[in-house]
Each structure stands twice: as structure tokens, then as C-alpha cells.
Amino acid sequence: MDEVGEDARASSHEGRQQTPHKQTEHSEGADSDQTLSMFADPQPQPAFAHEPLIRGLGPSASADLGLTRRLKALACTAPLHEMDVHKSRLDWVEATVYQMAEIAIHTIDQITLAMDFDTGAKHDEVVERVLPFVAAQARERSSAEHRRVARWVLEKLINVGIVDRGFHRVYGEIGPDGSYQRKMFTFHLLREVPGARGGIFLRATDEAINVLVGALDTDVESAQIAAEVKLANLIDRGLLADARLEAEQHRYRTVQYGEKLRHRLEATRRDVRLVDWDEEMPALLDTALGHIEQRFEVEHSILSNIAQTRDKTDDPVQKRRAAELVEIMRDCLSRHTQLQNRLQSARGMFRAEQDRQQFAGPPQRSAMNLHRQLLVPALGLSVAQAAAPVAAFFSSASGVGVPDALSLPLLVSTLLRPPVDAPDDSRPVVVPDLAARVDDSRFTDEHWRRSDELLNLTGRVRSLTSLLAEAADFDDDLPVLLALRALYALAPALTNARQRRDSLVVVAVPTGAGLAGPVARIEGDELLLTTAVLTESDDIVVESAHEEIR
């Protein structure tokens, strides 16, 4: 049963029946083709020497589409892995205890389950739903930290900080001529969409749902059918634990199928010309309604089998698992019912939108994206090349400059107009009472001059005690200024000195002993001070009478 389900999924993945003996095309259903070949008539096989040495480089194969789809599926998981790589760089939390990829998958899961046909999940509601899972990973941390981690993961999935909120990955393909071509794959995991009644909601994309189900970009209808076959088989065999997992996958596919149809209907609301309502959409609606009708029959049958399994068993664990399966399948039935109602009203919606858009005014031009359409391309050009498009934009965006006089008669009338007397302001002018600024600085220019003389120690080394004793002969403030400058010399700011173009800088080195008695009420460690020469390589060279220190 499982092999047949895998074969059906692989064949529907390509959208056409794969013949097992056909070797001119390569696809990701190669394994299932080998399985089906056991049931087919033997066919002559080409010689091994004529097979291509590299997949996708055969004379009749333009590219390996299966490899491309696998690369895209792998790229969709890259943002989740990057969260675990970058969590150690967060300066507001010690995040090594958190498994960010698991939190991200749980976040996508909660958003997917909260989605219906019209709305999605609100940001705050998602954070509240994810909060227990985050708290379980680090119970000793605060609830505020748990909430901030959950919001950080949510913002990373939305890709906040990027203009288009998209993830970009480069992948390669083998072209028809055998050359390797690099292409850009842009995708979203979560989208922020406006609600029908206002507000912003989050919706999971197809790429995000594929991450949940751990699958490639497959045909949704075929994936649903294969999941139902596997689910029914697991229930018949009594494997309810595996059946629950498969039922969850089936629910994800149900949401994904609804999203596929919702995008078409949303495009119709924007512009009926974007969707082919002559042939494509009527056929799609008929196919979708038939598919949903079949799902109703299969899901009701699965519910009946689950009820029989639940009634036959006496194991409480099995009963609980059966109850969980019933809840999941009822949710799938509810979603299919909602989707069926929308599909049945789709043709009426098309006619209403056609009437509305036909009598609407001319469409307005979309606003220009200055960042993507002007700034980024201009930064890639030289100044001479960028001047013309930038000048053209600003000349058009700034509007027309209106002169003071539009015509000669208006100019003459303006010149002959009698002058307007200025209003007589007879109120007295208030003269502010300005007080002289009081100089409250402690150190005068004389203090700074004398401290410069004392610290001019080129070729000499003096102790702080001797300098303070000499400064104390002038007054009580000069030793304080000298002590402050000596303290600053312990770690001189070489960058500031170089910006001031200073060639000399005062440096100080502690001796490990204290000052020889309090001098001018100053106590502390003894320092040796000297004047150093600042070189071009940001080194300081201290020259003394005894040695040269680098």
C-alpha cells in the first residue's frame, strides 16, 4: 500500500503519467519508476555507454527539474537554520538554551492552524500561542524574556528589516546547452495581509507549509489523495500514533489547497483580467468542487473507521489517540465545507467584480518604490551615470515652479499696485534684563599654563609626588588639576591627539606604591610621568635620560 501511494505521489508530482521504460527524461520520481517497472513489460534498454555521465546533461534532457525542486525545498529551511546560527550574537539574551528552529516550526504550525479563508492570525495571538513552548525550553528564565524570544522568531520568519520581506537564495541549473546557470529564488514564509474588516493578519505561504510537512513543492491534490490512502491504511492496522501524524499532514495539505484557490479569487478581486475566466477558472472550479466532494466521502469513511477502532479497543491510550484523530478530521471537514461554500459563490463573485471594475475609474499608477527602483540602481552606477536619472526624477517629482507673474499684464498690475502700509505696532518694546554670565570654572588660564609647564617632561621622568609638591607652592587648585591630568595620562587618547595634530602626549605608569604622604589633600597611587613622542604608526616612544621605552 505504501509503495503504491509513493508511486501515485511521484507520478502526480510531474502532472503526467511516467512510463517506466522511458529513459530520455530524468525527474525526482526515478525511484517510483523503478518500482513500477516490475509491473511493466520488459523493454529494450539503451547501452550504458550512451547514458549521460551527469544528470541533466543528456542530449534530450534540458535540465534536472527534480534537483532544482530539491534545492528550492532546501532553501526554504535555510532561514530556520540561520536563527540557530545567529542566536549567539544576540546581546539582549543568552540564547544558547533556546532551539530557535523548533520555535520557528511551532510558530508556523500555530499560524497555519489559525488560518481560514478570509483571515489569519494576529501577531499578539501568535506570540501567546508560542509562549508555552518557548517557556518549556527555559523555565528558569523570565516570562518577559520568553515573550521577547517568541517575538524575535516571529519577526525573523516575517523577515522584518527587508523592504520586500522576502528571502533570496541563489541556486543553479543546467541549461539546455549544458551550461551552468545561476538563478535567484525569492520566497516568503509568512505574509502580512490586510483583513476584510481591517487589521493586519499573518498567513503561512506554500513554502512554509512545505517546511511543516517536510516535503518538496508537490501537487496538492495528489498529495491529499496519497495522505488519505496512507491514513486509512494506518487506521486499519491500528497504528494510531502514526495515523495522528499523517492526519496532521493531511490538515496542512487542506490549508495549502485552500490557499491555492484563495490566491486565484483574490487576483479576481484586484483585476478580473489577471485570471482566465473563459476556460481556466471554470475548469479549475469544477475540478476543485469534485475534489472536495471526494474528500468529504473519504474523510467521513476515515471518521467511521476511527470510531470503530475506538470502540473496539480497551486501551485508554488508544482511545485518547482516536479522539485526537477525530478532532483533526473534523477540522479538515470544517475547512473543506468553508472552501466549498466559497467555490460555489465564486462565479457570482466574478460577475459582481466584473460589473464593479467595468464602471470604476481608470486605474491609478502605483507609487514608485524609491529604495528599490531609484536608490539601489543609482548606487550601482558611477556619479556621471547616476546624475541623469536622479535629476530626471527630482525635476518631475518636485512639480512645476510657478513664477510670481504668469503674464505681462499681471506683472504691470502688480508693479502699479499701491504699497500696503505696514501695521502700526504701538505696543512698547520689552527690553529683556540680561544678566552677566558668571564664570564658575575652577581652573583659570593661568592654572592650565602652569600645568603645561610642569608636564613638559621631554627626556625626563618625574614622580607625581614631586609634581604635586611643586604645584602646591602656587595655590590649592593647581595640584588638583595636575592630579586629574596625570590620571588621564594613564590611558591617553591617541586618536584624539592625532586629530589635534599633537606630536607629544603625556603618559603615566603606576609604580605600585602610594604617594609619599598626602599632598594638597590628594591621596592615591604613585605615578611616574613623562612626555612621549607620537609616531605615524600610532606608537608612542618614551625617551628618558636612561632608556627608551616602546
Side-chain angles (χ1 to χ4, degrees):
M1 178 73 70
D2 293 341
E3 290 181 358
V4 176
E6 291 294 328
D7 297 339
R9 182 158 55 248
S11 61
S12 62
H13 206 81
E14 293 297 322
R16 64 181 184 275
Q17 181 66 33
Q18 298 279 350
T19 56
H21 60 274
K22 189 174 183 180
Q23 301 292 333
T24 58
E25 293 183 0
H26 298 272
S27 68
E28 66 178 13
D31 296 337
S32 59
D33 290 343
Q34 295 176 3
T35 305
L36 290 175
S37 64
M38 295 186 299
F39 304 95
D41 296 331
Q43 298 291 335
Q45 301 295 327
F48 178 80
H50 298 288
E51 292 184 357
L53 297 179
I54 303 178
R55 295 184 65 191
L57 295 182
S60 61
S62 61
D64 191 347
L65 300 180
L67 176 61
T68 300
R69 283 164 37 191
R70 289 182 176 90
L71 291 174
K72 290 183 177 180
L74 185 62
C76 294
T77 64
L80 278 65
H81 301 302
E82 290 178 354
M83 293 184 195
D84 280 321
V85 173
H86 296 160
K87 66 182 180 182
S88 59
R89 304 178 187 176
L90 299 178
D91 55 358
W92 48 269
V93 64
E94 202 286 310
T96 55
V97 69
Y98 295 105
Q99 300 298 324
M100 299 300 185
E102 296 179 7
I103 299 175
I105 293 178
H106 191 69
T107 303
I108 298 174
D109 188 14
Q110 295 300 319
I111 294 175
T112 304
L113 297 181
M115 289 166 47
D116 58 16
F117 202 84
D118 293 324
T119 61
K122 293 184 178 180
H123 295 68
D124 294 337
E125 293 176 354
V126 174
V127 173
E128 292 298 328
R129 293 187 178 188
V130 178
L131 202 57
F133 184 78
V134 179
Q137 296 188 2
R139 297 189 180 278
E140 68 280 1
R141 304 292 180 86
S142 63
S143 59
E145 179 180 307
H146 297 157
R147 189 179 304 276
R148 191 170 182 182
V149 169
R151 188 168 293 277
W152 180 80
V153 172
L154 179 61
E155 291 178 352
K156 286 296 181 181
L157 291 174
I158 302 173
N159 207 9
V160 174
I162 305 301
V163 177
D164 58 354
R165 301 292 176 90
F167 297 96
H168 308 279
R169 292 294 183 273
V170 178
Y171 69 97
E173 283 186 353
I174 303 299
D177 57 350
S179 62
Y180 184 81
Q181 302 173 357
R182 287 180 172 83
K183 297 183 178 181
M184 180 66 70
F185 174 48
T186 300
F187 63 95
H188 297 77
L189 293 178
L190 299 179
R191 288 186 181 273
E192 294 177 309
V193 297
R197 299 181 180 179
I200 301 298
F201 295 92
L202 294 172
R203 300 189 70 92
T205 62
D206 287 344
E207 292 83 3
I209 298 177
N210 285 333
V211 171
L212 284 181
V213 299
L216 303 178
D217 183 17
T218 60
D219 179 67
V220 183
E221 293 91 334
S222 302
Q224 273 193 318
I225 296 173
E228 289 170 351
V229 172
K230 187 175 181 181
L231 179 60
N233 179 266
L234 291 172
I235 295 174
D236 292 339
R237 294 160 57 190
L239 302 177
L240 297 187
D242 296 334
R244 182 182 184 277
L245 298 177
E246 194 62 33
E248 290 178 348
Q249 307 288 318
H250 178 67
R251 179 164 57 180
Y252 294 143
R253 290 302 187 185
T254 302
V255 175
Q256 194 174 20
Y257 187 65
E259 283 294 290
K260 173 185 175 182
L261 298 175
R262 189 184 68 86
H263 290 325
R264 299 292 185 90
L265 299 180
E266 286 294 328
T268 302
R269 289 192 179 96
R270 292 193 300 269
D271 190 349
V272 294
R273 296 171 296 181
L274 298 177
V275 184
D276 181 13
W277 277 90
D278 292 335
E279 297 180 0
E280 180 183 359
M281 278 303 295
L284 178 63
L285 293 177
D286 294 338
T287 303
L289 288 172
H291 175 78
I292 292 175
E293 184 179 356
Q294 295 176 3
R295 302 288 69 72
F296 277 133
E297 297 176 359
V298 175
E299 288 168 0
H300 280 294
S301 176
I302 292 175
L303 275 175
S304 176
N305 291 339
I306 296 174
Q308 293 178 5
T309 304
R310 179 190 57 193
D311 296 337
K312 291 179 181 178
T313 183
D314 296 331
D315 187 358
V317 177
Q318 290 289 83
K319 286 184 176 294
R320 177 177 56 83
R321 290 173 178 172
E324 293 173 350
L325 279 173
V326 169
E327 182 180 354
I328 294 175
M329 296 309 300
R330 284 178 177 173
D331 184 37
C332 293
L333 284 171
S334 175
R335 293 178 183 273
H336 278 138
T337 301
Q338 184 184 27
L339 182 59
Q340 185 184 42
N341 294 334
R342 293 307 178 110
L343 292 177
Q344 290 174 346
S345 62
R347 289 181 171 85
M349 184 269 292
F350 163 69
R351 289 189 291 269
E353 289 296 326
Q354 189 179 34
D355 294 340
R356 182 184 66 84
Q357 296 176 22
Q358 181 178 4
F359 298 103
Q364 299 179 353
R365 297 183 60 184
S366 60
M368 180 179 180
N369 190 323
L370 294 179
H371 180 272
R372 187 177 69 251
Q373 296 178 265
L374 180 64
L375 179 59
V376 174
L379 291 177
L381 302 176
S382 63
V383 176
Q385 294 173 333
V390 173
F393 166 75
F394 280 102
S395 61
S396 301
S398 58
V400 180
V402 181
D404 295 334
L406 299 178
S407 61
L408 182 60
L410 182 60
L411 175 61
V412 173
S413 175
T414 303
L415 294 176
L416 296 178
R417 186 181 305 161
V420 179
D421 296 335
D424 183 14
D425 192 356
S426 59
R427 292 177 296 176
V429 178
V430 179
V431 179
D433 185 11
L434 301 178
R437 180 179 180 273
V438 179
D439 187 6
D440 56 353
S441 59
R442 181 175 181 180
F443 307 115
T444 63
D445 293 341
E446 183 65 18
H447 286 118
W448 286 98
R449 188 184 65 80
R450 286 184 177 270
S451 64
D452 289 339
E453 292 177 355
L454 291 174
L455 294 177
N456 187 10
L457 302 172
T458 304
R460 296 178 297 156
V461 176
R462 292 190 62 180
S463 64
L464 180 59
T465 302
S466 62
L467 291 173
L468 292 177
E470 185 175 348
D473 296 337
F474 180 72
D475 63 1
D476 295 337
D477 292 334
L478 183 58
V480 177
L481 176 60
L482 197 64
L484 292 175
R485 296 189 65 178
L487 182 63
Y488 181 77
L490 280 173
L494 302 181
T495 303
N496 296 338
R498 182 171 294 280
Q499 290 176 353
R500 295 193 303 267
R501 300 183 181 275
D502 294 340
S503 59
L504 301 176
V505 63
V506 180
V507 295
V509 179
T511 62
L515 292 174
V519 181
R521 294 178 295 179
I522 297 175
E523 297 180 1
D525 294 338
E526 180 66 273
L527 302 177
L528 295 179
L529 292 96
T530 186
T531 303
V533 179
L534 186 61
T535 63
E536 295 182 357
S537 60
D538 283 347
D539 294 332
I540 55 175
V541 179
V542 180
E543 298 179 356
S544 67
H546 304 286
E547 61 181 351
E548 182 182 63
I549 305 173
R550 287 187 181 270

